[in-house]
Amino acid sequence: MKPKHIFIASSLVAIICIPAIYLYMPSIVWILWLVVPIIVIGLVDIIQTKHTIRRNFPVIGNFRYLLEEIRPEIMQYFVETDTEGRPINRIYRSLIYQRAKKVNATTPFGTQMDVYETGYEWMDHSIYANNHADIQHESRILVGGDACLQPYSASILNISAMSFGALSKNAVLAMNTGAKIGGFAHNTGEGGISPYHLEPGGDLIWQIGTGYFGCRTEAGNFCEENFQKNATLDNVKMIEIKISQGAKPGHGGILPASKNTKEIAAIRHVKPHTDVHSPPKHTAFEDAKGLMHFIQKLRDLSGGKPVGFKICIGKKDEFKDICEAMVTLGIKPDFISIDGGEGGTGAAPIEFSNSLGMPLKDGLSFAIDTLRGYDLKKDIKVIASGKVLSGFDIARVIAMGADMVNSARAMMIATGCIQALQCNVNTCPTGVATQNKSLMEGLVVKDKAQRVANFHEETVKSFIELVAASGIRKTEKLTRHHINRRIGMNQVLKYSEIYPEVPEGVYLKQMEKVIEENGVG
């Protein structure tokens, strides 16, 4: 007999027998409170047409959906090993929590990593290691080229772009307060500058995306007047043009009417309770030269603050075109943020997250080498972002040529995120990535702000200790030669072999030769 038939037969028996039994045993009335709801649920399951499992397996079929709902928690807490979790495993989540709380962050009984597995990486140490106390604890990076009138002294580790709207107001307040305590910068994300970014007084990197939120006209185009009002705020230290991000490059996005509250609409300069689209590309410029002119315009309107752009490398020739435009026009960004395809977002099509965008190490090495090839790297600071969680992650990208790093998910975890994977459904249980007021109230700003500052302090300290262990006194002396990667059981290559550096100015000479041969002035 099929489960559906068993249920129907059992229900009929219960309906007939229970009243009869009640006549002789009135005290059994309590069983009705158990049986009747089960019968009702089963009947609803049979009648509904959306779920085949529930129609064929009334009542018990619902357990399938219940288990599916709690599957991430079951996997995270009971099934996955410490090294298997995705996107961030238990080892690194625990590391972030421990550093945020300033509790013991050491590990017992040796590494859990398989050091002979392909992909394992490590850093060369020296028998003539330095005392980390003798190395400057926090290297500051001066961002701003010759055309910049207000250069910014940045921390080597900062908060990557996350918008208010994607994050709750309490999460934004906690992160910016943490940035104020620790003396590092907080990227606003493309959602505009909210009061919660400004209230604590932490340094801001204002990100401007294709929707020009906070600096747009009613039609959605760039507005110089609105830009200038925000760009000249004291909190705003740098301005970043978002061309693409690693999690969903070339996609754009939509802010649905249901999430477009009056508060968010006011911040983004849009009409409330309407769908607001972010196009996949900018309308303020159409090519590499247009981007350079736009950078110059923003620098002038901001009073000479550092201006740069964020990009996930896609077509290599397009990045080379940007570099040639810098050379031709003599206009250079003050910084470039390189995002990796492994970067995260609150919501992205799975094809974009999994199958589009160059991973960080490949994109970063290419960008650094291209800038070197056009003799531009000395004038432009490079920021790396994409799953930066630990001191070694910082060391790895600095060795590749980056000047500083941004981290988003690590900062979320320091703020209380438990990787519940509910960022896109407004039900984040820790109040970090939700606009649900009852959930966000559970996030205590004062406590989490200190944890964000602690995580920053301890992670930078761990990076400095690694540098000291390698026998280096200055972080800028860290090179690709210091990082090793196992590519087979019996074969190890250094980053300098995997990502060989391009000689300084080699592309510039090629460009000048082509111009000379073609007689182009």
Side-chain angles (χ1 to χ4, degrees):
M1 188 179 290
K2 295 179 180 179
K4 184 192 297 185
H5 297 155
I6 293 174
F7 168 76
I8 293 172
S10 300
S11 298
L12 290 174
V13 169
I15 291 170
I16 294 169
C17 293
I18 289 175
I21 295 172
Y22 176 72
L23 292 175
Y24 296 97
M25 297 177 62
S27 60
I28 206 171
V29 68
W30 62 268
I31 203 170
L32 294 174
W33 295 102
L34 177 64
V35 173
V36 172
I38 292 175
I39 293 174
V40 171
I41 291 170
L43 290 175
V44 170
D45 287 341
I46 292 171
I47 294 170
Q48 61 84 34
T49 58
K50 290 185 178 180
H51 302 287
T52 304
I53 293 293
R54 287 172 58 198
R55 282 173 63 84
N56 290 339
F57 300 88
V59 182
I60 60 174
N62 289 281
F63 287 98
R64 181 262 186 193
Y65 299 99
L66 175 62
L67 292 172
E68 186 178 55
E69 187 72 23
I70 62 173
R71 181 181 182 275
E73 288 82 1
I74 293 173
M75 291 293 295
Q76 185 176 135
Y77 295 116
F78 302 109
V79 179
E80 294 171 350
T81 68
D82 287 349
T83 60
E84 288 177 340
R86 295 288 186 274
I88 299 170
N89 67 35
R90 170 60 61 181
I91 289 176
Y92 286 105
R93 294 203 305 275
S94 296
L95 175 70
I96 295 167
Y97 293 138
Q98 289 161 353
R99 286 186 172 159
K101 297 175 184 177
K102 276 203 172 184
V103 298
N104 185 13
T106 57
T107 183
F109 228 63
T111 180
Q112 293 189 46
M113 304 295 186
D114 181 353
V115 297
Y116 295 104
E117 182 181 17
T118 298
Y120 176 73
E121 295 181 344
W122 69 95
M123 185 172 168
D124 288 339
H125 70 281
S126 172
I127 60 173
Y128 309 108
N130 294 308
N131 187 332
H132 66 86
D134 296 334
I135 299 177
Q136 186 179 352
H137 180 69
E138 160 74 290
S139 298
R140 306 296 295 190
I141 313 300
L142 190 65
V143 183
D146 294 338
C148 179
L149 302 179
Q150 301 184 55
Y152 174 59
S153 179
S155 168
I156 203 165
L157 170 63
N158 303 283
I159 301 175
S160 199
M162 293 177 282
S163 301
F164 168 63
L167 298 186
S168 70
K169 73 174 186 179
N170 282 16
V172 173
L173 284 168
M175 288 186 188
N176 195 260
T177 304
K180 176 70 173 177
I181 295 169
F184 51 99
H186 179 192
N187 193 309
T188 65
E190 63 179 309
I193 303 173
S194 73
Y196 316 113
H197 288 105
L198 296 172
E199 182 184 320
D203 293 346
L204 292 177
I205 301 170
W206 181 22
Q207 187 182 85
I208 298 170
T210 57
Y212 303 111
F213 297 128
C215 58
R216 60 184 269 148
T217 64
E218 191 172 328
N221 296 315
F222 176 73
C223 175
E224 293 186 11
E225 183 180 354
N226 287 334
F227 170 80
Q228 194 167 32
K229 288 178 183 177
N230 279 327
T232 52
L233 292 171
D234 289 340
N235 301 59
V236 175
K237 304 301 181 183
M238 302 200 301
I239 294 123
E240 179 180 81
I241 304 164
K242 191 188 96 167
I243 297 177
S244 58
Q245 70 181 98
K248 50 177 181 178
H251 183 264
I254 181 172
L255 175 67
S258 60
K259 290 186 177 181
N260 185 15
T261 64
K262 287 185 179 180
E263 181 181 41
I264 290 176
I267 293 165
R268 299 194 179 197
H269 295 177
V270 297
K271 290 181 179 180
H273 311 302
T274 60
D275 290 338
V276 180
H277 293 266
S278 295
K281 68 172 187 176
H282 282 266
T283 57
F285 55 88
E286 294 184 351
D287 55 21
K289 289 184 177 179
L291 171 60
M292 292 305 108
H293 287 303
F294 189 56
I295 287 171
Q296 185 60 56
K297 178 187 287 187
L298 299 192
R299 191 184 285 129
D300 292 340
L301 290 171
S302 68
K305 292 183 179 179
V307 178
F309 62 88
K310 176 179 182 175
I311 187 170
C312 176
I313 300 295
K315 294 182 177 179
K316 292 183 176 180
D317 286 344
E318 292 178 346
F319 190 79
K320 289 182 177 180
D321 288 343
I322 291 173
C323 291
E324 291 185 4
M326 295 179 202
V327 173
T328 302
L329 299 175
I331 302 172
K332 303 168 189 174
D334 298 293
F335 66 93
I336 300 174
S337 298
I338 303 297
D339 200 12
E342 64 270 48
T345 181
I350 194 166
E351 294 88 352
F352 280 71
S353 283
N354 289 352
S355 310
L356 204 64
M358 196 177 293
L360 178 59
K361 283 181 280 190
D362 302 282
L364 180 63
S365 61
F366 166 75
I368 294 291
D369 289 338
T370 304
L371 290 171
R372 282 177 176 155
Y374 284 99
D375 198 27
L376 293 166
K377 178 61 186 73
K378 65 183 187 299
D379 302 317
I380 300 169
K381 294 297 185 289
V382 174
I383 305 172
S385 63
K387 219 171 182 180
V388 176
L389 310 171
S390 70
F392 179 67
D393 292 334
I394 298 176
R396 188 163 47 189
V397 295
I398 297 298
M400 296 187 76
D403 298 284
M404 46 201 280
V405 302
N406 284 348
S407 179
R409 283 171 289 185
M411 295 296 183
M412 289 177 68
I413 292 171
T415 309
C417 166
I418 60 171
Q419 196 171 280
L421 305 181
Q422 297 178 31
C423 312
N424 58 332
V425 290
N426 204 37
T427 56
C428 170
T430 59
V432 175
T434 179
Q435 296 304 306
N436 184 310
K437 291 184 179 180
S438 65
L439 291 172
M440 75 173 73
E441 285 173 359
L443 195 161
V444 180
V445 173
K446 184 178 179 181
D447 175 65
K448 303 305 182 186
Q450 188 60 57
R451 292 191 184 189
V452 170
N454 290 345
F455 169 73
H456 174 273
E457 179 186 350
E458 294 300 311
T459 303
V460 171
K461 180 182 176 183
S462 74
F463 164 65
I464 296 297
E465 288 176 343
L466 284 175
V467 172
S470 68
I472 298 172
R473 287 191 172 273
K474 294 184 178 180
T475 57
E476 57 266 29
K477 297 295 184 181
L478 197 59
T479 68
R480 299 179 190 186
H481 188 75
H482 290 93
I483 310 296
N484 305 277
R485 180 180 179 86
R486 184 175 297 284
I487 62 170
M489 181 64 185
N490 300 313
Q491 190 173 10
V492 173
L493 294 179
K494 292 186 174 294
Y495 268 22
S496 54
E497 298 172 287
I498 301 172
Y499 307 105
E501 293 184 0
V502 171
E504 209 59 69
V506 65
Y507 296 156
L508 183 60
K509 291 177 183 177
Q510 293 174 2
M511 179 182 171
E512 290 172 344
K513 184 178 180 181
V514 170
I515 291 174
E516 184 180 346
E517 289 176 350
N518 294 332
V520 180

